[in-house]
Amino acid sequence: MSSPVTAYLAAPGFEADLRAELGDVAAEYGRLMLAPGPARPAAWALNIWRDPVEIEAGSIGAAAKALRAIQRNWWPYAFHLHRRTGLLVEKLPKVSAKPLEFGQLAPAAPLGSFVWLDEGRLLAAADCSSRFPNGEVGFVEDRALPPNRAYLKLWEALTLAGRRPGPGEVCLDLGASPGGWTWVLASGGANVIAIDKAPLAPSIAALPTVTCRQESAFGLDPAAIGPIDWLCSDVICYPERLLRLVERWRESGLARNFICTLKFQGETDHAVAARFAAVPGSRLLHLSHNKHELTWMLIAEDGQP
């Protein structure tokens, strides 16, 4: 490739959202989109391949040799040539991709990505934004304690943040019912104020560090709640309304960390998503466990706002 490009891997089913976000896609290979210029934030990309290189490889052995010369750990993205991809993977060092146990840290080792463009050419990037295979975070699910699978979104967000609420911290869970996010927050010993007009599952409401309040998340006065360490929201509302709620809490200075789900009803509101992404120090991303939604995170550094 003569000029710098970056490759962006869309989540399955959300190719159109990534295409609209990037705006200048030069080529597409299945869910992988190439756009000119250095890497830039792209919320709808599960993984971003920085500085990808094109490798001429007339054989499986030559391809494996070329990849091993760059680094050890590689993961394939296969939109076609599946058998050829599998044969190449067999010649590379094995990479473990076991699902994470609850509370387990994200992998630390770099993980490169590659794809066959055709039978004689690879596209490969040693430097990727995610250290999970194709940006997909897998967990060993708890099918007994959490009342729904929504807890996986918060678990994934905390795993990517590298932090988890603990004893002595106060969490506000907005739109808490039936309690999946509350369960995650309380599992580390944090005190959780669960807000929802609907009740929590009895097993979650009975947790000793959980306080339930059946009221609207949008009627809360931050000053009446007081300082909190984590504001978490999986509430169902238009993203514009969530943005106003977040702005009110940020202006109050009473919340240190934010993890919020932007739920799109109908068409994706790219304009509001861009306003979330523009908040300094924050991240906007499509988690592996998101559906037609994005997760916005603003995590304090070293415990400071």
Side-chain angles (χ1 to χ4, degrees):
M1 293 172 286
S2 56
S3 58
V5 299
T6 302
Y8 303 82
L9 184 64
F14 297 101
E15 295 88 345
D17 288 296
L18 178 58
R19 194 179 297 116
E21 184 180 19
L22 293 174
D24 53 353
V25 175
E28 294 188 32
Y29 301 96
R31 294 187 286 116
L32 190 68
M33 303 182 189
L34 271 60
R40 59 185 188 265
W44 292 98
L46 281 179
N47 199 11
I48 300 174
W49 301 15
R50 305 182 184 101
D51 302 315
V53 295
E54 196 172 298
I55 299 172
E56 298 285 343
S59 69
I60 302 295
K65 182 178 180 181
L67 291 176
R68 288 197 303 266
I70 298 173
Q71 68 176 31
R72 181 189 186 278
N73 295 334
W74 293 95
W75 196 267
Y77 165 62
F79 73 101
H80 69 168
L81 299 176
H82 298 282
R83 175 169 170 74
R84 194 170 185 82
T85 299
L87 292 172
L88 177 50
V89 169
E90 290 177 2
K91 290 186 173 293
L92 295 171
K94 181 175 176 56
V95 175
S96 175
K98 294 180 180 178
L100 298 181
E101 300 280 354
F102 187 68
Q104 188 176 354
L105 296 177
L111 182 62
S113 299
F114 73 86
V115 62
W116 284 107
L117 301 179
D118 54 44
E119 291 194 354
R121 292 183 304 144
L122 288 170
L123 185 69
D127 182 15
C128 294
S129 63
S130 177
R131 295 185 174 181
F132 291 93
N134 290 328
E136 297 175 2
V137 184
F139 296 114
V140 178
E141 294 191 37
D142 186 326
R143 300 184 184 276
L145 297 177
N148 61 5
R149 297 185 75 249
Y151 82 97
L152 292 167
K153 289 185 290 186
L154 182 57
W155 183 1
E156 182 176 352
L158 293 171
T159 299
L160 296 179
R163 291 182 55 192
R164 181 180 169 194
E169 293 192 284
V170 177
C171 306
L172 186 64
D173 183 11
L174 304 180
S177 181
W181 282 36
T182 296
W183 176 78
V184 171
L185 296 168
S187 65
N191 296 305
V192 186
I193 305 169
I195 307 292
D196 203 304
K197 290 183 177 180
L200 265 62
S203 60
I204 305 301
L207 294 174
T209 60
V210 172
T211 301
C212 302
R213 292 175 52 167
Q214 287 188 244
E215 57 185 291
S216 170
F218 299 97
L220 292 179
D221 178 5
I225 297 293
I228 58 174
D229 297 286
W230 296 82
L231 185 149
C232 298
S233 171
D234 198 34
V235 70
I236 299 173
C237 68
Y238 286 105
E240 177 73 39
R241 193 179 188 195
L242 177 65
L243 181 61
R244 292 196 297 269
L245 182 150
V246 165
E247 287 175 338
R248 185 166 72 250
W249 275 94
R250 289 186 63 228
E251 289 169 2
S252 76
L254 293 171
R256 294 198 299 120
N257 303 286
F258 294 80
I259 298 179
C260 302
T261 307
L262 285 66
K263 297 175 181 286
F264 300 105
Q265 302 171 49
E267 295 295 319
T268 301
D269 192 337
H270 291 284
V272 173
R275 291 171 65 187
F276 271 98
V279 175
S282 71
R283 298 172 65 187
L284 184 66
L285 61 165
H286 187 278
L287 301 177
S288 305
H289 296 92
N290 280 142
K291 296 179 181 178
H292 187 205
E293 55 194 15
L294 294 172
T295 294
W296 177 75
M297 301 195 298
L298 180 60
I299 308 298
E301 296 182 8
D302 300 323
Q304 300 300 317

